[in-house]
Amino acid sequence: MTIEQKKISLINWIANLEDEVTLDQIAGFQKSSLDKHSDAIVELLRIADTEPEENLTRHTNVGDILKMK
């Protein structure tokens, strides 16, 4: 089963769930997953904040960054 098929299967399963306890458990898993990502983002922001100004890349949009490469 491909990752896309797994996602569709899970979406269908969740959409048909009637058990609120299971839905709460899934929501808890989602929140804990997001919390882990947000911690990583905060850490990257802290690292960027400690970088000297001359090492930072100034940009206004993705197109400008892609042109730099």
Side-chain angles (χ1 to χ4, degrees):
M1 186 182 282
T2 67
I3 192 166
E4 290 81 13
Q5 291 170 322
K6 288 178 185 179
K7 289 177 185 180
I8 291 168
S9 177
L10 280 169
I11 290 167
N12 287 328
W13 177 71
I14 291 169
N16 291 308
L17 269 176
E18 306 255 340
D19 180 8
E20 192 168 343
V21 172
T22 303
L23 285 171
D24 288 342
Q25 290 172 337
I26 293 168
F29 178 73
Q30 178 188 29
K31 182 179 179 344
S32 70
S33 176
L34 292 174
D35 288 345
K36 287 180 187 175
H37 292 325
S38 63
D39 288 346
I41 292 169
V42 169
E43 182 60 25
L44 286 173
L45 291 171
R46 285 188 185 127
I47 292 168
D49 190 45
T50 62
E51 278 296 312
E53 189 83 17
E54 60 272 5
N55 290 350
L56 299 178
T57 302
R58 296 270 180 230
H59 57 85
T60 56
N61 65 52
V62 175
D64 291 343
I65 293 172
L66 292 174
K67 289 175 191 171
M68 294 172 64
K69 291 186 176 201

